[in-house]
């Protein structure tokens, strides 16, 4: 699976690997796989403490809140894991009007947010012209950074959105295993994903990507390669959450990813990326509602993305079942998340929380 050199290096013990991290040295895939295999105990606690130290030194005590607006659950794709995939006929589809999305963004600014994340399925109703109108509308009405999370589009559209004022783009590569990627994505390719990420970077976006943890068939070596890929892509933001099985998909019946493996991936992501922005994700909070986000913040994460989608739509944007906050209001979630940030001794940032990375 790994090169001869990799196999040899994998002979390093966890203690040696942890010492290497402490000295600021890079790990290779075999070393990462060894650490991902740690069971609970002193070595794992040490790994988490090292990640927390790097978080503190590279991004500080501030936690950035990004207000998430899920503005359409229509999607042209059939990703095998996703609850709103095209072929799931049980989904009640909705689209928010542009004015309604702008209004939601203005409310977000009123609640203190400095970033909104506009997320949807891959929905052709929102043509490039409509997206430009939306982005301009928000920029005109509120002092907000805008992050887009709307999937694969042609490069000229990415450019038009950027020129209209979009600052950041989220596009997870989901897994670095080409074979697994192909199995899960009947209408897309790993190469197009990577090309899209390269185009976004070239245009000037702050680029976020990420993966799911515990996908059916995913191995520890795959996860180690995911970490190598985060570093290779020099990502501004890395989103990582557990895979959660949705019963109305082809993967029905498969086991969920675990919080434990997600914590290890979060810590190692902080260690390999240094100053990337890393959210404590809603999927993790869904597996561990009481303490998932708090633990993530203590082992590398520095971002939370509270759901600001108007209440009547929330229950229809279910990529996975059991999602938290379906009945809560945006005010309530903002308060709740701020309290959680403070409970771990951190502060909610008042800034935009732009990337700290200097590329090139
Ligand atoms: N479980 C967890 N995360 C999921 N996503 C999609 N479906 C699921 C699921 N069943 C994630 C993907 C996608 C992001 C928006 O949501 O990683 O990129
Ligand atoms: Fe559509 Fe995204 Fe779900 Fe894939 S993961 S089916 S692109 S909403
Ligand atoms: Fe919604 Fe806690 S984040 S209630």
């Amino acid at each position: 699976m790994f090169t001869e050199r990799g196999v040899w290096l994998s002979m390093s013990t966890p203690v040696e690997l942890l010492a290497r991290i402490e000295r600021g040295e890079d790990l290779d895939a075999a070393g990462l796989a060894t650490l991902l295999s740690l069971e609970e105990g002193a070595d794992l606690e040490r790994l988490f403490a090292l990640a927390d130290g790097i978080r503190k030194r590279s991004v500080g005590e501030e936690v950035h809140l990004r207000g998430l607006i899920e503005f359409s659950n229509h999607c042209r794709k059939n990703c095998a894991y996703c609850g709103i995939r095209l072929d799931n006929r049980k989904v009640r589809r909705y689209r928010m009007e542009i004015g309604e999305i702008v209004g939601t963004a203005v409310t977000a600014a009123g609640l203190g947010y400095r970033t909104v994340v506009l997320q949807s399925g891959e929905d052709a109703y929102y043509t490039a012209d409509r997206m430009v109108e939306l982005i301009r509308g928000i920029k005109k009405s509120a002092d907000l950074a805008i992050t887009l999370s709307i999937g694969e589009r042609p490069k000229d559209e990415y450019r038009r959105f950027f020129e209209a004022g979009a600052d950041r783009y989220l596009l997870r590569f989901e897994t670095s295993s080409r074979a697994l990627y192909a199995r899960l994505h009947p209408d897309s390719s790993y190469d197009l994903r990577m090309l899209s990420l390269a185009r976004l970077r070239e245009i000037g976006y702050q680029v976020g990507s990420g993966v799911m943890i515990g996908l059916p068939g995913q191995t520890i070596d795959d996860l180690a390669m995911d970490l190598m890929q985060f570093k290779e892509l020099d990502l501004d933001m890395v989103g990582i959450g557990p895979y959660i099985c949705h019963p109305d998909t082809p993967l029905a019946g498969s086991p969920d990813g675990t919080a434990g493996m997600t914590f290890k991936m979060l810590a190692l992501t902080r260690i390999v990326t240094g100053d990337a922005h890393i959210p404590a994700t809603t999927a993790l909070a869904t597996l561990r509602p009481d303490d998932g986000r708090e633990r993530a913040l203590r082992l590398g994460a520095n971002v939370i993305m509270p759901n600001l989608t108007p209440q009547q739509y929330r229950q229809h944007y279910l990529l996975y079942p059991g999602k938290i906050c379906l009945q809560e209001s945006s005010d309530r979630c903002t308060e709740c998340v701020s309290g959680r940030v403070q409970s771990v001794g951190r502060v909610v940032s008042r800034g935009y929380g732009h990337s700290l990375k200097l590329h090139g």
Side-chain angles (χ1 to χ4, degrees):
M1 203 143 324
F2 291 118
T3 61
E4 237 168 82
R5 191 177 127 81
V7 171
W8 181 75
L9 281 174
S10 74
M11 303 300 283
S12 302
T13 63
V15 171
E16 287 165 346
L17 293 164
L18 293 168
R20 245 184 250 168
I21 294 172
E22 204 155 12
R23 292 196 298 269
E25 295 170 19
D26 284 346
L27 300 179
D28 64 359
L32 293 167
T34 300
L35 294 174
L36 285 170
S37 308
L38 284 176
E39 307 280 343
E40 257 159 61
D43 290 345
L44 187 58
E45 290 312 312
R46 181 97 194 101
L47 177 73
F48 291 162
L50 286 170
D52 196 45
I54 292 172
R55 184 275 306 160
K56 192 170 178 157
R57 284 195 298 281
S58 50
V59 301
E61 303 293 10
E62 289 196 335
V63 174
H64 303 284
L65 303 191
R66 323 292 201 191
L68 178 66
I69 306 174
E70 298 153 331
F71 65 91
S72 161
N73 69 351
H74 288 258
C75 190
R76 67 184 172 98
K77 283 192 175 161
N78 264 312
C79 305
Y81 42 77
C82 180
I84 65 168
R85 61 203 298 279
L86 176 66
D87 287 353
N88 185 4
R89 307 296 278 275
K90 293 192 186 166
V91 177
R92 259 265 303 280
R93 304 284 170 176
Y94 72 87
R95 287 187 176 112
M96 288 172 66
E97 291 301 330
I98 289 177
E100 195 181 9
I101 307 170
V102 174
T104 306
V106 169
T107 306
L111 289 171
Y113 288 88
R114 305 299 297 279
T115 295
V116 284
V117 179
L118 305 178
Q119 186 174 89
S120 68
E122 294 204 5
D123 184 359
Y125 169 84
Y126 299 90
T127 58
D129 284 348
R130 285 190 172 126
M131 284 307 301
V132 165
E133 186 190 338
L134 169 60
I135 293 160
R136 288 216 184 107
I138 292 175
K139 284 284 174 175
K140 216 171 47 201
S141 331
D143 181 22
L144 287 166
I146 296 179
T147 305
L148 299 179
S149 178
I150 60 172
E152 286 164 357
R153 298 262 180 154
K155 185 171 184 187
D156 63 298
E157 296 196 12
Y158 284 158
R159 182 172 286 120
R160 287 188 61 196
F161 305 157
F162 185 75
E163 285 166 358
D167 301 276
R168 313 185 189 127
Y169 207 105
L170 304 179
L171 188 70
R172 290 185 178 180
F173 60 81
E174 315 295 359
T175 173
S176 58
S177 159
R178 282 175 174 279
L180 184 55
Y181 193 94
R183 251 182 284 150
L184 297 174
H185 301 104
D187 18 42
S188 185
S189 77
Y190 186 77
D191 288 332
L192 177 58
R193 228 349 90 138
M194 287 301 151
L195 182 62
S196 300
L197 287 166
R199 287 168 166 166
L200 292 164
R201 158 104 323 130
E202 208 177 290
I203 290 166
Y205 283 98
Q206 298 167 45
V207 179
S209 193
V211 298
M212 279 174 283
I213 312 300
L215 288 164
Q218 190 180 43
T219 65
I220 295 264
D221 288 349
D222 292 338
L223 293 172
M225 292 311 294
D226 293 346
L227 291 162
M228 299 298 282
Q229 188 70 288
F230 296 158
K231 196 171 170 65
E232 176 71 28
L233 293 171
D234 198 21
L235 296 170
D236 299 289
M237 307 163 283
V238 184
I240 291 174
Y243 160 70
I244 301 175
C245 178
H246 194 295
D248 304 316
T249 66
L251 300 180
S254 57
D256 294 343
T258 64
M261 187 58 81
T262 306
F263 291 139
K264 288 188 268 189
M265 277 294 282
L266 280 170
L268 285 165
T269 298
R270 173 57 67 203
I271 288 165
V272 304
T273 66
D275 58 4
H277 288 311
I278 302 177
T281 55
T282 302
L284 176 60
T286 295
L287 280 196
R288 293 278 287 263
D290 293 342
D291 67 345
R293 284 163 290 186
E294 287 83 346
R295 288 202 58 191
L297 290 175
R298 296 180 114 130
L299 47 78
N302 72 320
V303 170
I304 301 186
M305 299 165 66
N307 194 338
L308 304 187
T309 308
Q311 226 168 327
Q312 67 267 34
Y313 303 123
R314 287 190 187 197
Q315 57 187 301
H316 304 299
Y317 200 90
L318 293 185
L319 310 185
Y320 47 83
K323 196 172 159 198
I324 57 168
C325 302
L326 296 185
Q327 308 304 329
E328 278 71 15
S329 66
S330 298
D331 307 32
R332 165 98 190 80
C333 291
T334 305
E335 225 173 84
C336 164
V337 161
S338 303
R340 288 173 194 269
V341 169
Q342 281 153 24
S343 79
V344 293
R346 306 269 279 283
V347 288
V348 173
S349 168
R350 292 162 169 277
Y352 295 110
H354 282 310
S355 176
L356 299 166
K357 288 196 179 287
L358 300 166
H359 299 286

